[in-house]
Structures are given as structure tokens and as C-alpha cells.
Amino acid sequence: MLVIYGSTGYTGRLIVAEAVARGLRPVLAGRSVDALRAQAEPIGLAWRAAAIGDARALDAALSGAKVVLHCAGPFAHTWRAMSDACIRNRVHYLDITGELEVFEELASRGDEARTAGIMLLPGVGFDVVPSDCLAAHLARRLPNAVRLALGFLASGGISRGTLTTMVENLGSPGAVRRGGKIIAVPPAWRTRTIDFGDGKLRSATTIPWGDVSTAFHSTGIPDIEVYIGMKAAQRRAMIASRWIGPLLRSALVRNALAARVRRGPAGPSDEARARSASMLWGEAVAADGTRAESTIRCASGYTLTAQTAVHIAEKVLGGAAPLGFQTPSRAYGADLILEIPGAVRADVAGD
């Protein structure tokens, strides 16, 4: 049995729709009785209400489940309670986080998960399935790589949940890996020009996304940087945050921005997602300067998240769930992303 927790959120609803379209009958779960009933009953699905902080209710929500797909963020506030419940109840854990700290915390629970006989696999959505598969593919092309750079170019809009997480992280430093260790760097620490696969050169700037964690666990490459294409004004704002970080972290600013987010739309429209695509780029470099470069083009972020999350959940339901902490490519290989309709990978260069 598959339990989708946080099913009434923007991304949760997309995932439920994808699951039902594939013939699955998930149990829907979350904190709001009214929202769950309104979502589940018209399509004939079972539902269970449980607040994330109520361990007894979570245990009841996971009763009889083989896997939970956790969609309720910001995951910095929810991963611990849900992973605790999964370990207690011997239920495989999937989530759609992209939060760097969450990956590292769950990685530290690998032995607990293995003892419980379960898999902990965070990041089964847009961040980090395609980028993690790209990292693993580059490591396969260049096994002696010592440096890895990954880049994203995304369009189509941002959901309310993603914006909420971004507000919580305002004023925080950037992050890269050096010598296998995650180190803090200033926001917008480095900028480079990238061709994401369409022949156009775009400026991209470092960000502290989850791949700083997962790409290392997947490849062992010690030096990792993650970039996102952005406009000059956005980069200037990130640079300014180096000096106004304390203000951005203040409760007054965060509460005001969070209230503004709550008044906005839940997320991009179906039409906006259909018109958009995600483009990813990666480069691996060996100590002697030998390099390999590849790109991936796939659906827009939220559409892809629904596709990959359900695809992986189906694998777990079918018995494919290596124990302990996993990344998408460690669990299912570098070519996992190519199992998703419309995803295309290209090898651009190799020395």
C-alpha cells in the first residue's frame, strides 16, 4: 500500500493525479480532515488524518503501508517525524525535498533504516532525480573525476510551498563541497557561463541545493558546485543578501513575506507547466584536466516531480527498495531519468 502524506498541497495533488492515472489506489494523508475528505471521496480513495507532530496518529496513518511518499514541506520541519514513523513501522520512506540539510540528516540515519529493513530515499522529484542521474552518468563517463558542476535552467513558475521554503532560507549562506566536506560560501559565490543544451550561453550562479549532498553520495566526487541560470538582477539581490542577511532572517521580514506567499496562487497552471521545460547541465573534470559534459532536457519541475515520484513509488511497491539511505541513482541507476517519457540526455563533450 502507498500512503501519500501531504496530498492536498499543490505538488501533492499533482502526484495523486499521476498515481491514479497509472492505476494506483493510494491512501491519502495529511493534517486536515476537511481537505482530505474533499480530495479523496470524489475519486473513491481512502484517507487518514494525522498531524505531523502526533506520533500515534502518524503510526495509524502508516498502518499497513509498504511505502510513504512524503510531500508536506518545508521538509526541515517534517522529515524527522515522518522518518521516525517510517523506522518505527518499517515503512519505506520517499519524499520530494530539495533541502540540503534534510538530505544530510537522512543520510546519517542509513544504519537505522537498514536495521529496520527499510529504504530512506529523499528527493524523488525534480530536485534531485534528473540532476542526480546526470551526476552519476558523468561519473560513469569519467570515473577518475575530482570536480563536478551541475546546473539548472527551470521555467514555468514556483509553487506556494517552494516559495515558503525559500522565505525560510533567506539570508542563509551558500554551500559547496570541497574535499568531500560541505562548506559555507557567500550567496552568489561564483558565476559561470553555461550552454544548457540549446546552443545559448547563459549566466548561472551557485546555489546551495540538495545536489551538494546527493551528488557526493552518488558519485564520491569530492568537489561539487551547483548552479542555476538567473538574471543579473537576481544575482545582485543574492549578493546584497550577504550584507542584509540578519534583516532577511528577522521574524518581521519572514512573517511579512510568508503572508504574501499565502495570498498568492498555489502554483503554476496546467497550461504554464505544459509550455515549460527543465534543462540541466553537468561537467565532470579529472585531476589531469580531462572533462566530460552532458545535458538533460525534461518536463517542467512540478510535472516531472509527479512523474518521477510515482515512478519510484511503483518500483518500491514492486519490491525494488535497497535498504538504508539511498539517492535516486544509487537505488535505480544513472539511466533512471530516461525511463520518464520525454526525458532526453545528450553527451556534449568529452576529452
Side-chain angles (χ1 to χ4, degrees):
M1 181 177 74
L2 168 64
V3 172
I4 300 177
Y5 187 89
S7 65
T8 62
Y10 175 79
T11 309
R13 290 181 179 277
L14 296 178
I15 288 171
V16 171
E18 180 74 13
V20 171
R22 293 187 184 212
L24 299 179
R25 306 297 292 171
V27 172
L28 310 187
R31 64 182 182 179
S32 171
V33 170
D34 291 341
L36 285 167
R37 180 185 291 117
Q39 180 185 28
E41 292 185 354
I43 53 178
L45 296 181
W47 57 273
R48 300 172 179 178
I52 196 71
D54 186 336
R56 183 174 298 179
L58 273 185
D59 289 346
L62 269 55
S63 177
K66 184 170 186 175
V67 56
V68 62
L69 177 47
H70 178 36
C71 305
F75 293 90
H77 303 308
T78 63
W79 75 270
R80 171 67 72 177
M82 185 58 76
S83 61
D84 282 347
C86 286
I87 289 171
R88 284 195 307 270
N89 293 279
R90 299 180 181 272
V91 175
H92 298 295
Y93 172 101
L94 307 176
D95 75 26
I96 56 170
T97 190
E99 297 166 47
L100 173 58
E101 295 81 3
V102 174
F103 288 110
E104 287 296 286
E105 292 283 6
L106 284 165
S108 73
R109 306 198 77 177
D111 289 342
E112 292 178 80
R114 195 171 294 106
T115 299
I118 68 167
M119 176 175 70
L120 298 176
L121 175 50
V124 297
F126 170 68
D127 193 29
V128 297
V129 171
S131 46
D132 188 60
C133 289
L134 185 58
H137 175 65
L138 286 164
R140 182 171 60 188
R141 290 185 64 201
L142 193 64
N144 60 338
V146 296
R147 299 198 309 274
L148 175 69
L150 297 169
F152 295 80
L153 186 66
S155 60
I158 301 176
S159 75
R160 190 183 295 152
T162 303
L163 285 170
T164 299
T165 300
M166 292 171 65
V167 167
E168 291 208 355
N169 290 323
L170 283 174
S172 299
V176 299
R177 273 199 191 263
R178 287 292 180 269
K181 304 294 184 182
I182 297 174
I183 63 169
V185 294
W189 176 64
R190 179 171 288 174
T191 295
R192 63 182 294 171
T193 301
I194 294 174
D195 177 355
F196 287 92
D198 61 356
K200 299 178 181 178
L201 294 177
R202 295 177 175 89
S203 291
T205 299
T206 47
I207 51 172
W209 276 17
D211 304 271
V212 175
S213 170
T214 54
F216 174 74
H217 294 293
S218 298
T219 69
I221 297 173
D223 290 4
I224 299 172
E225 298 170 3
V226 180
Y227 293 80
I228 191 167
M230 65 173 61
K231 297 178 180 178
Q234 295 171 306
R235 185 163 53 254
R236 288 193 295 268
M238 288 182 65
I239 293 171
S241 74
R242 300 175 186 177
W243 291 277
I244 61 173
L247 175 62
L248 295 174
R249 291 191 294 270
S250 70
L252 180 64
V253 171
R254 290 190 175 183
N255 290 341
L257 290 173
R260 183 174 179 179
V261 168
R262 288 192 295 271
R263 293 192 296 269
S269 67
D270 292 346
E271 294 76 13
R273 288 187 292 105
R275 290 194 305 267
S276 305
S278 301
M279 301 170 70
L280 297 95
W281 163 91
E283 176 190 65
V285 182
D288 63 1
T290 304
R291 59 187 292 274
E293 184 180 347
S294 300
T295 63
I296 290 176
R297 184 181 178 93
C298 50
S300 64
Y302 297 104
T303 297
L304 187 76
T305 291
Q307 293 173 331
T308 55
V310 175
H311 187 64
I312 290 172
E314 287 179 320
K315 288 180 179 291
V316 180
L317 290 169
L323 303 185
F325 171 78
Q326 300 294 334
T327 66
S329 70
R330 267 179 36 177
Y332 303 113
D335 296 334
L336 169 67
I337 187 60
L338 301 183
E339 298 173 12
I340 304 302
V344 178
R345 186 179 65 209
D347 293 337
V348 180
D351 295 335

